[in-house]
Amino acid sequence: MLAAGVLSACSNSSNSSSSNSQTMNTAASNEISTLDSSKYGDTTSSEVLQNSMEGLYRFDKNNKAQLAGATKVTRSKDQKVYIFTLRKNAKWSNGDPVTAQDYVTAWRRTVDPKNSSLDSDSYAIIKNGTKITQGKAKVNSLGIKALGKYKLQVTLADPIPYLPEILEGAQFYPQDTKVVKKLGSKYGTSSSNLVYNGPFVVKGWTGSNLKWSFVKNKNYWNKKSVQLKRVNVQVVQTTSTGVNLFRSGSLDYVPLSSDFVKQYQNNKEYHSKVTPTNGYLTFNIKRKTTGNVHVRRAISEAINKKQLVNTILHAGRPSNGIVASNFITDPSTGKDYRKDAGDMVTYNVAAARKEWKIAQKQLGKKKISLELLTSDVDDAKRVGEFIQSNLMKNLPGLTITVRSIPLKSRLSNTTNHTYDFVYGTWQPSYEDPLDFLTVGGLFNLEQDYKNKNFWHQIDLARSTYAARPKQRLQALIAAENQLIKKDAFAAPLYQAGASYLLKSKVKGFKLSPYGNVAYYWNVEIK
């Protein structure tokens, strides 16, 4: 309470920016992994891309997807072929026009298996997207075509009602074709190895440092709507450091980790919301121990998720399914999807120990050791330690070691299968269960998980039942049940709460409707 009082007093006595300079100083919790929109897989990189790039659509002030890089769209009677008229006054920061070919270049790079994109699964909605990522079709067969300099044709695999929300995502941004060809493997590896078509350009990121800036893009077509001239960002991995910088007036915005939520929740500069962002575990099913379904089921049921939220995170809510609650309303019932689908995995020590005994018998071991991989930020380490304690207490004979490493290394380890199981968070790109079930931060899902029933139900939801809501809902529930309850490919833990401190002079600041990505497009210092 004393610290909260100090914060209140200091916040009015020191200003880190002025209305004249329109400069904002902020914090990020993690480093940037890459600025290549075909290769990113983390929240910080997504945040940087979403403030410096622009696709066919962009969220407006009310979090509704509106045309941005395009001025007009038409679609065929079967709702599978879309033709976008691109904005002729849209330019890259180097002065190049943003053309239809720039979208073709970017989308093909993302689905190309040789690029190992963490977001290639998102392209299942596009004709031949899945076949290409599986190596069963050529990259140039993707359902995207430049009909002219400013005409873009997109062909879907099946009709979908949520296309604008999907195409707003960073994985669907264009890339300057000339720059991609010139830079090759260096593209996106630093702020100078990239050009930008969004509200800001990125300055000062070398590829490994922990500070960078957003500078107003003088070539952005809608620059008149952008009030901020500069946003200075620094990575603050310990929240206490961030809070001290906020109190001293050096920061205008700082995300709060779980242990600071209670301390500041009554402060006027505190903000919080429950998001559809998942906290979860995924398992390396290629390894013998974590490849055993009974091991995975035991772990899934042996973690006290309510206690995790209440005592460690202090924000958010427990999750008993991989699809978020209070986020998706099913059109066939008018209810929240999570209520229709019900609880898939609950905290149940008796059931967990039963599965654990079967696993020990099948593996021929009474004592089993596993390593849990997390990132090295405060919250991730605390969650890892909680899981470690819970599992070793509830599953006799289990030893857990926690390895906490930088996010970029954690992503690399999971992609390369050098882990037993991993804790991470993931935020969706659009409001549909398919995003949670086929992308969802589910590392190596398409590559490793071969359950025929799951993929059959997913195919039904994408195609046969695309326009039949009741049947589609049942297919989605069946797919989630197979993935999470029966096979425990992943273990849902919680829906994250986004909590932060923000100076009262900062107006128009928003977080993404899908998670904790900060938007600076409409911010003004008053």
Side-chain angles (χ1 to χ4, degrees):
M1 290 303 293
L2 175 62
V6 172
L7 171 63
S8 179
C10 290
S11 63
N12 292 321
S13 63
S14 178
N15 289 327
S16 58
S17 53
S18 69
S19 58
N20 292 329
S21 66
Q22 288 299 324
T23 297
M24 185 175 176
N25 297 314
T26 76
S29 299
N30 282 298
E31 62 189 305
I32 299 171
S33 65
T34 179
L35 292 182
D36 185 343
S37 57
S38 292
K39 296 184 178 181
Y40 83 99
D42 62 287
T43 300
T44 303
S45 299
S46 174
E47 179 171 289
V48 177
L49 287 166
Q50 290 191 57
N51 282 285
S52 61
M53 295 289 194
E54 184 169 83
L56 297 167
Y57 293 88
R58 179 180 285 283
F59 285 123
D60 63 15
K61 293 180 180 180
N62 298 314
N63 291 330
K64 301 296 182 183
Q66 304 290 347
L67 286 172
T71 59
K72 181 182 177 183
V73 59
T74 60
R75 62 182 180 183
S76 60
K77 288 184 178 180
D78 65 1
Q79 301 184 35
K80 291 175 68 173
V81 180
Y82 288 68
I83 296 178
F84 293 91
T85 301
L86 301 188
R87 188 176 295 280
K88 292 183 180 179
N89 60 338
K91 294 182 179 181
W92 293 101
S93 53
N94 64 355
D96 289 345
V98 181
T99 68
Q101 185 58 45
D102 294 340
Y103 285 89
V104 175
T105 296
W107 292 21
R108 286 180 177 176
R109 285 187 73 241
T110 304
V111 297
D112 192 334
K114 72 180 183 182
N115 287 323
S116 300
S117 171
L118 294 172
D119 265 327
S120 61
D121 288 350
S122 299
Y123 280 78
I125 64 168
I126 309 297
K127 181 181 178 181
N128 291 329
T130 299
K131 289 182 179 179
I132 295 168
T133 58
Q134 293 176 342
K136 297 178 181 178
K138 294 182 178 179
V139 172
N140 61 10
S141 69
L142 186 68
I144 185 170
K145 183 187 296 184
L147 301 181
K149 190 173 183 178
Y150 298 107
K151 288 283 185 182
L152 181 70
Q153 178 178 292
V154 175
T155 304
L156 304 182
D158 298 286
I160 53 174
Y162 44 83
L163 185 65
E165 287 77 14
I166 298 181
L167 296 186
E168 188 278 338
Q171 67 270 42
F172 291 101
Y173 289 164
Q175 297 168 4
D176 189 328
T177 304
K178 293 179 182 178
V179 175
V180 170
K181 289 180 179 179
K182 178 182 177 181
L183 294 176
S185 61
K186 292 183 179 180
Y187 179 82
T189 56
S190 69
S191 58
S192 60
N193 285 323
L194 198 66
V195 290
Y196 309 88
N197 72 326
F200 302 95
V201 299
V202 184
K203 298 285 187 180
W205 183 62
T206 64
S208 59
N209 62 317
L210 302 181
K211 289 186 178 182
W212 59 88
S213 296
F214 296 112
V215 178
K216 185 174 178 178
N217 184 358
K218 64 181 181 180
N219 283 329
Y220 181 48
W221 68 271
N222 197 22
K223 62 184 177 182
K224 289 183 179 180
S225 69
V226 181
Q227 302 302 315
L228 285 178
K229 294 181 179 179
R230 189 180 189 94
V231 181
N232 298 315
V233 187
Q234 60 179 299
V235 175
V236 179
Q237 291 183 313
T238 57
T239 307
S240 58
T241 300
V243 169
N244 287 336
L245 289 170
F246 186 90
R247 289 168 54 189
S248 70
S250 297
L251 288 178
D252 298 313
Y253 160 76
V254 63
L256 291 181
S257 60
S258 55
D259 54 335
F260 281 83
V261 170
K262 280 191 173 182
Q263 191 173 353
Y264 291 111
Q265 62 186 359
N266 294 320
N267 189 280
K268 66 179 182 180
E269 294 179 317
Y270 171 83
H271 304 265
S272 184
K273 68 171 186 175
V274 176
T275 74
T277 294
N278 270 340
Y280 63 97
L281 300 172
T282 58
F283 302 89
N284 183 356
I285 63 175
K286 284 194 170 184
R287 289 192 170 175
K288 183 176 181 180
T289 302
T290 45
N292 184 288
V293 68
H294 301 287
V295 168
R296 302 196 300 271
R297 287 178 187 166
I299 289 174
S300 296
E301 294 181 301
I303 300 169
N304 190 333
K305 293 175 280 192
K306 184 177 180 180
Q307 186 181 29
L308 171 61
V309 170
N310 291 341
T311 65
I312 303 298
L313 300 173
H314 305 298
R317 64 168 66 98
S319 292
N320 293 323
I322 204 69
V323 180
S325 62
N326 296 330
F327 182 57
I328 300 165
T329 300
D330 190 87
S332 67
T333 65
K335 297 179 182 178
D336 176 43
Y337 169 88
R338 187 75 268 143
K339 289 184 178 179
D340 286 330
D343 293 333
M344 298 287 176
V345 181
T346 60
Y347 175 54
N348 188 328
V349 176
R353 288 179 175 172
K354 184 177 180 181
E355 293 287 347
W356 185 241
K357 287 182 179 179
I358 297 173
Q360 288 173 314
K361 184 177 181 180
Q362 290 185 353
L363 293 170
K365 295 180 180 179
K366 283 289 184 182
K367 295 184 178 181
I368 295 173
S369 297
L370 292 173
E371 181 182 78
L372 172 61
L373 187 64
T374 79
S375 68
D376 61 356
V377 298
D378 284 351
D379 267 3
K381 289 190 285 188
R382 273 192 290 272
V383 170
E385 290 165 359
F386 177 89
I387 292 170
Q388 177 189 43
S389 175
N390 250 217
L391 293 179
M392 291 176 64
K393 173 185 175 183
N394 292 331
L395 301 178
L398 176 61
T399 299
I400 298 288
T401 56
V402 179
R403 181 161 61 105
S404 299
I405 57 179
L407 179 64
K408 187 182 291 187
S409 299
R410 198 212 77 186
L411 292 170
S412 176
N413 273 246
T414 49
T415 301
N416 296 324
H417 290 85
T418 51
Y419 69 103
D420 289 327
F421 66 130
V422 57
Y423 159 71
T425 60
W426 173 86
Q427 66 175 29
S429 299
Y430 56 96
E431 295 179 35
D432 191 85
L434 276 176
D435 197 26
F436 291 86
L437 295 173
T438 61
V439 183
L442 303 172
F443 293 103
N444 306 307
L445 175 71
E446 193 168 305
Q447 179 181 351
D448 295 351
Y449 186 58
K450 303 301 182 182
N451 183 276
K452 291 182 179 179
N453 179 54
F454 171 80
W455 290 112
H456 174 63
Q457 299 298 334
I458 292 296
D459 288 341
L460 288 174
R462 283 173 173 164
S463 55
T464 307
Y465 297 152
R468 296 158 65 181
K470 289 183 179 181
Q471 291 91 335
R472 186 174 189 269
L473 173 63
Q474 293 308 311
L476 291 167
I477 292 173
E480 185 181 16
N481 188 66
Q482 184 72 57
L483 182 73
I484 301 303
K485 185 173 184 178
K486 293 183 179 179
D487 291 335
F489 182 87
L493 298 173
Y494 63 87
Q495 274 181 242
S499 302
Y500 58 94
L501 296 173
L502 181 72
K503 295 292 185 183
S504 56
K505 64 188 174 184
V506 178
K507 309 300 181 184
F509 178 85
K510 279 185 175 292
L511 294 181
S512 159
Y514 302 143
N516 56 355
V517 166
Y519 290 160
Y520 298 107
W521 326 322
N522 298 311
V523 170
E524 185 175 2
I525 308 296
K526 291 187 176 181

